[in-house]
Amino acid sequence: MNATLVLNADYSPLGVAPLSTLTWKEAVKLVYLNQVDIIENYSDWFVHSPSVTMPVPSVVVSKTFVKSGRTVKFNKSNLCIRDDYTCQYCGEKFELKSLTMEHVTPRCLGGKTNWTNVAMACNRCNTRKGHRTDVNPMRMPYKPLIGEIVSKVKKTPIVIPNENWIPYIGWSPSLVSVRKPYIDKSMLQE
Ligand SMILES: [Zn+2]
């Protein structure tokens, strides 16, 4: 898990699905390049160079407003969010790793791998459907708007590395768990 949350100049996360994050090294680099300001630090995690000791930034904010893309990235994670982690053939809920991308019009018949032809299916339903074209998903696949994905993802539990993120990410605190990143001593040699 990356250590640093990145906010846009308006203090909203640069991206929500997934959350915009950086490794601490990337964050420190941007601080030195004067592209971001640090607004929160880890209180118990420091990095050292021969001349400087600094806390690892937990939240940084971009100095300039970044116009964010208003389209949803086509990937399995966002497909699962769109389909509520539900197999679109049997209606059961699954974890991401147990869901597969099912082509409504099979690829062998020219079906594309895109928002309007891919529905999430469990392994069993995917195998059962195979190349058939007479079996339709419960809901025909569609291209979701960013707002739909963002509001759905904010209703799912999230693990973050630092409690300082909570005021900025817009999740209900009851859905947030904090898991401190493992602090490897070797990192301190940077
Ligand atoms: Zn199924």
Side-chain angles (χ1 to χ4, degrees), residues 87 89-90 94 122 125:
C87 170
Y89 294 87
C90 67
F94 291 90
C122 68
C125 291

Side-chain angles (χ1 to χ4, degrees), residues 65-129:
F65 189 80
V66 181
K67 250 191 163 168
S68 58
R70 298 306 289 171
T71 55
V72 185
K73 234 189 197 156
F74 177 80
N75 57 35
K76 186 180 172 187
S77 163
N78 284 333
L79 281 162
C80 285
I81 294 167
R82 182 197 66 184
D83 290 352
D84 303 304
Y85 293 86
T86 302
C87 170
Q88 293 300 303
Y89 294 87
C90 67
E92 275 187 58
K93 282 209 169 217
F94 291 90
E95 288 187 18
L96 182 130
K97 62 175 191 292
S98 304
L99 285 165
T100 60
M101 290 165 60
E102 216 297 309
H103 291 75
V104 176
T105 299
R107 267 178 297 186
C108 61
L109 297 179
K112 298 257 168 35
T113 302
N114 62 20
W115 284 114
T116 52
N117 192 48
V118 173
M120 297 319 287
C122 68
N123 278 311
R124 211 174 57 144
C125 291
N126 199 332
T127 307
R128 195 181 283 167
K129 177 172 177 297

Side-chain angles (χ1 to χ4, degrees), residues 1-181:
M1 194 189 327
N2 283 341
T4 309
L5 174 69
V6 190
L7 304 179
N8 208 340
D10 64 358
Y11 283 67
S12 66
L14 212 49
V16 167
L19 267 182
S20 45
T21 61
L22 295 170
T23 65
W24 70 265
K25 284 179 190 174
E26 292 165 338
V28 168
K29 192 174 163 196
L30 291 182
V31 170
Y32 279 102
L33 290 172
N34 213 21
Q35 292 180 8
V36 296
D37 283 324
I38 299 169
I39 46 176
E40 305 280 359
N41 284 311
Y42 283 79
S43 57
D44 52 0
W45 185 7
F46 295 84
V47 286
H48 308 264
S49 75
S51 53
V52 199
T53 294
M54 70 180 286
V56 169
S58 162
V59 183
V60 296
V61 58
S62 174
K63 284 185 180 260
T64 52
F65 189 80
V66 181
K67 250 191 163 168
S68 58
R70 298 306 289 171
T71 55
V72 185
K73 234 189 197 156
F74 177 80
N75 57 35
K76 186 180 172 187
S77 163
N78 284 333
L79 281 162
C80 285
I81 294 167
R82 182 197 66 184
D83 290 352
D84 303 304
Y85 293 86
T86 302
C87 170
Q88 293 300 303
Y89 294 87
C90 67
E92 275 187 58
K93 282 209 169 217
F94 291 90
E95 288 187 18
L96 182 130
K97 62 175 191 292
S98 304
L99 285 165
T100 60
M101 290 165 60
E102 216 297 309
H103 291 75
V104 176
T105 299
R107 267 178 297 186
C108 61
L109 297 179
K112 298 257 168 35
T113 302
N114 62 20
W115 284 114
T116 52
N117 192 48
V118 173
M120 297 319 287
C122 68
N123 278 311
R124 211 174 57 144
C125 291
N126 199 332
T127 307
R128 195 181 283 167
K129 177 172 177 297
H131 294 160
R132 292 173 65 167
T133 51
D134 56 340
V135 184
N136 281 328
M138 299 184 300
R139 182 176 61 191
M140 288 308 280
Y142 62 95
K143 186 170 193 248
L145 296 173
I146 187 92
E148 175 188 346
I149 296 297
V150 166
S151 77
K152 279 184 172 178
V153 80
K154 281 186 175 178
K155 288 182 190 123
T156 58
I158 188 172
V159 179
I160 58 171
N162 189 249
E163 58 278 5
N164 286 339
W165 290 20
I166 294 172
Y168 303 99
I169 58 177
W171 255 256
S172 158
S174 62
L175 292 172
V176 176
S177 41
V178 178
R179 197 175 301 150
K180 295 210 167 173

